[in-house]
Amino acid sequence: MAYVATRGGERAIEQSQRLFKAEMGAITPERVAETRRAMPYLVDRVMGEASLYDEDLAALALAQTGGELYETILLLRSWRTTQPRLAVADPVTQEGLFTHRRISAAFKDIPGGQLLGPTLDYAHRILATEVLTGTPHVPTLVTPAPHPAPAQQPSVAAWQAENDLLNLPNPDTTAGNDIPDVTREPLLFPAKRAHTLQSLARAETGGVLALGYAAQRGYGQAHPTVNELRLAEAEINVTHPRGTKFSAGRVKISQAEVVSKKGSQLELGFAATMGWNEVKVIAAATLDLNSAGAPKGSATEEEFYLYHTEGVESSGFCIHFKLPHYVTFQSSLDAMRDAKAKQAEPAE
Amino acid sequence: MSLKSLTKAWEPMSYGFLDASAKREIRRKMLKAIAVPGCQIPYASREVPMARGWGTGGLQISCTLLNPKTTIKVIDQGADDSVNAASIRRFLAGVSGAPTTTDTLKADLIQSRHRIPEEILREDQVLVLQVPNPEPLRPVQPNMSIARQMHADADYGRMWLQLYEQIVRSGRVMQGASYPSLVNGRFVMTPSPIPRWDVPKMHMAKHLTILSAGREKRLHAVPPFTKVEPLVFDDVPYKVEDHGAHVCTRSGAKGYFMNEIPQDDGPSTFEVSDSELGVKSIHRADGEAVQIGETWYKNGEMTE
Amino acid sequence: MQTPAPSDFETQTNATYDALMWALSRPGMARKLPVAGQASLIAALIDRECAIFSDDVHLMQIAAQAGAQIVAQNDADHLFLSATPDPSILSVLRQGTDIYPEDGATLVMPAVIGHGMALRLTGPGVDGAVSIKIDGIPDAFWTARRDVMRYPMGFDIFIIDQDQIIGIPRSTAIEVL
């Protein structure tokens, strides 16, 4: 038989997967637990991009893919997509968030106070090489503040709206099952507001950063001021079929408001995501801020940035170029050769 | 009412991988695609356990259509033995228990990337084509919202202009695969990156073709007995790849679309791109009884 | 990976859709539903993402149970009717827009297949032309269908007779013989 047997391809696939997994060794519950404990910010990023809030599943996906992040997200997304939708939670309000960190670059101080919370912003980034030579890096205990900051705070934008600096968008009263869900229906343009915010929430961090950074550098019209950046936990309240409300637990969320001056008012850009991921929400809010009236085909146009920051789609398409394309290539070669032959013909 | 009544009995995986709600959505969208031939229908496009761009659109259609009695054939670049075809076939069989085949004549459902088999498909067969980019207007208009409006207006002027410019510049239309084609006289569609050789096979075909782009979340259809006309000018006829005279060095088959195999010591040799047709031809040459179906092309010429 | 087995629901809805798909792909050619009646179509197609209208209380309940919103005729993406409607209904049905013609409605209604008025169908899915007989749908219905639709906008029809189903997509031209 001159053709490669079908089974040959399948054997090759099997062995290639074994090679990939060989380096990682056994994936155990302990490894998953350690991944979850040691890498909370990675787990957060993964949960946000996967739109699936489950630290154990995120850690498992990380362990199973050896940290190949695009594979991690795909694994979780394709698990998530077949899960039934049991209930729709109550909307999470800003005032109701349990806030861990809340800062504003717009004012020296804000009602409720600047709350630094957990951050490396002012750390000196020095690699702790002593760990490698046997000196563990043990975190120093946190000294609690004499007066704990209030857990719940209004947003800075709400204060600005009260003081006639900013027009808050009309509250969206869509509720429950009527809230559009971008995982259940196609994204069309002009996009529904819910679809835009959901797409940004699950967008790939690096992609959002690249386009948001382009906007910040000058390819956008509006220069962002971080009005408020917040890391918080949100209570997920759902209604039992019998009618009682109960909390299904809390999820970590990040949100950013960025503002820019437009005439006599401030314009607002907003983004939020599950998990704590500051770079992503600031960049995403910058895109949102620049979105209105952006020229077609520019990096800050909604269609442009929402399509191109979708991590599962962009990474998948990028690696699909590894697939054989010899039929299409052959078809192009044929047209090229024919055109060449035509050029070589003496003119009539 | 209890929480349990809202959900379904736990199963490690839904039959055919996709859950019932994903299937219903795809069914609804497929029906509309059939009702408006060539029109790109947006759909949610769930993630599946394969990377986007690797056939996830086709896979969602196949997963929705198949049942334990559906005989499946999967090809990539015409070959059943390509690694990605093997991977998709294994997945489809694994999530459904459906039997698989490499024989075009025995298949109920054929999922393909970049080729239509050479043997004529029957009116009970479904061809699912994987589509990387569903928008034929992309080269002249990358913005999808504007392109959609152009389809609404049947505004294909820039498309024609592009083809005309190619003829002026190169003496011919330079489009290789994915030749834009007018469906039922109304919508210009991409036939997916099949070679020009394969496009006439769609015209007034007996089988149903569903084209699905998972990453781009669009599907379109060519029902049986539907006009599919490549965009051409009256005085510059449509030209398929010049493969009619090539002979397959492995199977002796002649007059089909070929893979070109460059040789160390000079020009290329050719082997037939439809791998199963190659296998059948070899068996026939060996004197074995083998059924080769009627082919669309005879002696390198498309039959009417 | 263990191969999942199809539930009865999966088996039935899969077969129902197969009939629907081929019915619409080959207008005029009757296909067989695995279970007679319109409820099987609801099981195969309808859920909380749909807005339906039905004049049949039982079907309406089934659709509501599936999660569908119950709406007026002009808002419905799917209509399940117990009898041929007055032709005037056709002018209010959703037909989609130029940009999204797929938003046009799907109309499901009963009639007798194989007897009565002769119709000649042409268009995609029809090899040349096909003649069928449908009883219980007045001439005026087909005239109204032709007059109100502007292709590619329009609505698509399924005619059901027990377990027989015929599909008439908007792309089909119908001539009353």
Side-chain angles (χ1 to χ4, degrees):
Chain A
M1 166 97 48
Y3 277 83
V4 183
T6 300
R7 295 196 157 260
E10 287 177 5
R11 253 199 311 276
I13 292 171
E14 173 63 27
Q15 298 303 321
S16 68
Q17 287 167 13
R18 288 190 193 181
L19 271 173
F20 185 91
K21 290 173 183 167
E23 210 178 12
M24 282 144 47
I27 298 159
T28 60
E30 292 73 31
R31 180 181 294 188
V32 174
E34 180 57 21
T35 304
R36 176 183 164 167
R37 199 170 64 87
M39 306 279 163
Y41 286 88
L42 182 59
V43 166
D44 274 12
R45 175 173 169 167
V46 161
M47 292 192 300
E49 293 181 16
S51 326
L52 178 69
Y53 200 93
D54 188 306
E55 289 160 336
D56 290 322
L57 290 176
L60 170 63
L62 280 163
Q64 193 179 327
T65 56
E68 217 309 356
L69 270 187
Y70 295 107
E71 292 291 338
T72 312
I73 307 301
L74 177 56
L75 199 55
L76 288 166
R77 287 257 195 110
S78 53
W79 187 87
R80 174 198 191 279
T81 191
T82 61
Q83 298 306 308
R85 206 156 72 154
L86 296 183
V88 179
D90 289 349
V92 169
T93 62
Q94 287 188 313
E95 307 82 65
L97 294 174
F98 293 87
T99 304
H100 288 243
R101 169 166 159 79
R102 173 174 173 266
I103 55 166
S104 172
F107 300 99
K108 184 166 190 299
D109 204 358
I110 44 175
Q114 302 267 15
L115 184 61
L116 218 47
T119 180
L120 287 177
D121 278 352
Y122 305 100
H124 298 143
R125 278 72 161 192
I126 297 166
L127 199 60
T129 48
E130 70 275 14
V131 174
L132 298 180
T133 51
T135 314
H137 192 79
V138 183
T140 318
L141 283 182
V142 177
T143 311
H147 305 289
Q152 287 155 332
Q153 320 253 14
S155 73
V156 174
W159 179 86
Q160 287 159 332
E162 275 170 33
N163 290 277
D164 197 26
L165 293 168
L166 181 145
N167 290 321
L168 280 179
N170 289 328
D172 190 342
T173 52
T174 316
N177 195 46
D178 292 338
I179 298 171
D181 180 346
V182 80
T183 69
R184 303 254 164 173
E185 52 193 76
L187 175 64
L188 302 174
F189 297 95
K192 297 170 182 167
R193 184 64 181 153
H195 280 182
T196 301
L197 293 175
Q198 289 162 8
S199 299
L200 283 173
R202 69 203 310 253
E204 201 262 327
T205 304
V208 174
L209 175 61
L211 296 186
Y213 175 54
Q216 291 161 357
R217 249 187 99 240
Y219 284 89
Q221 306 304 308
H223 185 278
T225 298
V226 173
N227 206 37
E228 181 187 290
L229 172 72
R230 194 189 292 230
L231 300 184
E233 287 178 69
E235 194 89 53
I236 302 301
N237 289 313
V238 286
T239 307
H240 191 278
R242 283 198 211 96
T244 42
K245 276 196 191 297
F246 67 100
S247 167
R250 287 186 194 171
V251 298
K252 288 202 286 184
I253 64 157
S254 331
Q255 60 160 57
E257 290 173 352
V258 298
V259 291
S260 173
K261 175 170 61 67
K262 190 180 191 187
S264 59
Q265 288 284 312
L266 292 170
E267 260 189 316
L268 180 67
F270 180 81
T273 189
M274 291 198 293
W276 288 356
N277 188 341
E278 297 185 5
V279 160
K280 176 166 162 178
V281 288
I282 296 171
T286 305
L287 289 171
D288 184 50
L289 174 70
N290 276 279
S291 186
K296 290 267 185 198
S298 71
T300 53
E301 185 215 359
E302 198 168 55
E303 178 177 323
F304 190 95
Y305 68 73
L306 291 186
Y307 269 131
H308 297 130
T309 57
E310 173 31 65
V312 165
E313 283 159 18
S314 57
S315 64
F317 194 59
C318 181
I319 60 172
H320 114 282
F321 286 104
K322 295 184 284 188
L323 284 173
H325 281 78
Y326 53 79
V327 165
T328 43
F329 188 72
Q330 187 60 230
S331 188
S332 297
L333 268 187
D334 173 84
M336 270 170 52
R337 284 172 176 154
D338 186 45
K340 244 185 199 154
K342 282 196 166 66
Q343 281 161 14
E345 280 167 21
E348 283 169 29
Chain B
M1 202 168 162
S2 65
L3 275 182
K4 207 175 166 190
S5 68
L6 289 175
T7 182
K8 56 180 171 102
W10 191 83
E11 32 184 11
M13 186 192 288
S14 299
Y15 181 80
F17 183 77
L18 294 177
D19 63 327
S21 97
K23 286 178 182 169
R24 280 190 294 262
E25 196 231 3
I26 289 177
R27 288 178 189 140
R28 295 193 297 265
K29 300 296 168 64
M30 268 197 275
L31 290 179
K32 292 302 169 192
I34 290 164
V36 192
C39 179
Q40 297 167 50
I41 313 292
Y43 70 108
S45 188
R46 309 298 178 91
E47 288 89 354
V48 290
M50 248 169 245
R52 288 284 202 230
W54 294 60
T56 59
L59 196 75
Q60 290 177 74
I61 303 299
S62 297
C63 285
T64 302
L65 292 180
L66 50 69
N67 64 58
K69 290 186 187 136
T70 312
T71 303
I72 310 161
K73 172 181 167 80
V74 184
I75 49 175
D76 187 333
Q77 314 288 298
D80 299 86
D81 53 15
S82 150
V83 275
N84 202 43
S87 159
I88 291 174
R89 180 170 45 244
R90 193 160 50 96
F91 179 81
L92 289 175
V95 299
S96 71
T100 63
T101 184
T102 54
D103 188 348
T104 301
L105 302 178
K106 290 187 183 135
D108 300 312
L109 174 76
I110 300 171
Q111 180 171 333
S112 169
R113 174 169 173 264
H114 299 184
R115 276 312 310 274
I116 298 178
E118 300 284 8
E119 290 164 289
I120 296 173
L121 298 179
R122 292 185 311 268
E123 62 182 317
D124 59 336
Q125 291 178 306
V126 182
L127 173 67
V128 176
L129 286 172
Q130 300 169 198
V131 181
N133 166 19
E135 182 49 81
L137 298 174
R138 184 91 30 105
V140 295
Q141 179 47 264
N143 187 288
M144 269 179 116
S145 323
I146 301 176
R148 186 106 195 155
Q149 184 65 53
M150 289 164 73
H151 284 291
D153 300 338
D155 171 12
Y156 298 126
R158 288 168 74 181
M159 192 91 229
W160 284 106
L161 182 63
Q162 190 202 32
L163 297 175
Y164 175 74
E165 285 172 351
Q166 290 174 6
I167 293 172
V168 170
R169 222 174 286 134
S170 309
R172 60 161 292 150
V173 173
M174 291 306 289
Q175 184 84 27
S178 314
Y179 199 97
S181 304
L182 187 67
V183 184
N184 186 32
R186 175 59 181 81
F187 285 98
V188 171
M189 71 151 188
T190 174
S192 86
I194 55 174
R196 301 188 300 287
W197 184 271
D198 286 347
V199 178
K201 297 174 182 174
M202 283 184 162
H203 178 64
M204 301 305 275
K206 294 194 183 81
H207 69 277
L208 167 65
T209 305
I210 310 272
L211 303 100
S212 179
R215 184 178 50 83
E216 298 268 348
K217 302 181 166 66
R218 299 285 186 278
L219 62 88
H220 57 287
V222 178
F225 303 104
T226 299
K227 284 191 281 181
V228 176
E229 300 160 298
L231 298 187
V232 283
F233 297 95
D234 288 343
D235 50 348
V236 184
Y238 182 69
K239 210 172 164 199
V240 304
E241 291 77 2
D242 193 13
H243 285 196
H246 293 323
V247 179
C248 175
T249 50
R250 292 180 160 185
S251 69
K254 186 185 166 196
Y256 301 109
F257 189 80
M258 296 284 166
N259 298 329
E260 178 176 347
I261 315 290
Q263 298 300 303
D264 279 347
D265 52 355
S268 307
T269 59
F270 294 90
E271 61 180 45
V272 70
S273 156
D274 181 335
S275 70
E276 187 59 16
L277 183 68
V279 170
K280 283 182 176 181
S281 301
I282 292 170
H283 284 308
R284 178 169 280 183
D286 291 348
E288 288 171 51
V290 52
Q291 197 195 350
I292 299 182
E294 283 287 305
T295 52
W296 267 292
Y297 283 80
K298 288 197 185 3
N299 302 315
E301 294 286 333
M302 180 72 192
T303 53
E304 283 308 312
Chain C
M1 181 170 77
Q2 203 180 348
T3 298
S7 62
D8 292 346
F9 179 83
E10 166 68 28
T11 302
Q12 190 202 307
T13 52
N14 178 277
T16 302
Y17 175 69
D18 196 62
L20 292 172
M21 180 178 80
W22 283 112
L24 209 62
S25 297
R26 300 300 305 275
M29 282 180 68
R31 305 279 165 171
K32 199 169 177 305
L33 292 167
V35 179
Q38 300 188 17
S40 62
L41 273 68
I42 295 176
L45 297 177
I46 302 302
D47 53 31
R48 59 201 310 166
E49 279 140 45
C50 301
I52 76 112
F53 171 85
S54 181
D55 59 355
D56 180 312
V57 177
H58 179 59
L59 290 174
M60 198 155 75
Q61 276 170 351
I62 295 174
Q65 235 155 38
Q69 233 185 310
I70 309 297
V71 297
Q73 296 171 349
N74 55 335
D75 283 330
D77 47 48
H78 292 76
L79 297 92
F80 298 91
L81 304 183
S82 59
T84 307
D86 187 275
S88 63
I89 183 188
L90 298 184
S91 60
V92 306
L93 290 188
R94 269 171 53 169
Q95 293 201 32
T97 59
D98 278 336
I99 298 184
Y100 298 114
E102 69 273 16
D103 287 342
T106 303
L107 175 61
V108 184
M109 59 188 206
V112 178
I113 296 171
H115 303 282
M117 184 184 287
L119 306 172
R120 185 171 180 273
L121 277 52
T122 51
V126 181
D127 184 9
V130 63
S131 292
I132 57 169
K133 284 184 174 174
I134 302 280
D135 203 15
I137 302 178
D139 200 340
F141 181 91
W142 300 115
T143 316
R145 172 184 176 273
R146 188 194 61 208
D147 291 345
V148 300
M149 286 200 309
R150 194 165 63 78
Y151 187 82
M153 295 191 290
F155 47 81
D156 310 297
I157 301 173
F158 284 108
I159 294 170
I160 294 193
D161 182 359
Q162 306 296 322
D163 63 351
Q164 300 269 95
I165 184 161
I166 281 181
I168 302 183
R170 66 191 74 178
S171 57
T172 301
I174 295 183
E175 191 190 334
V176 179
L177 295 175

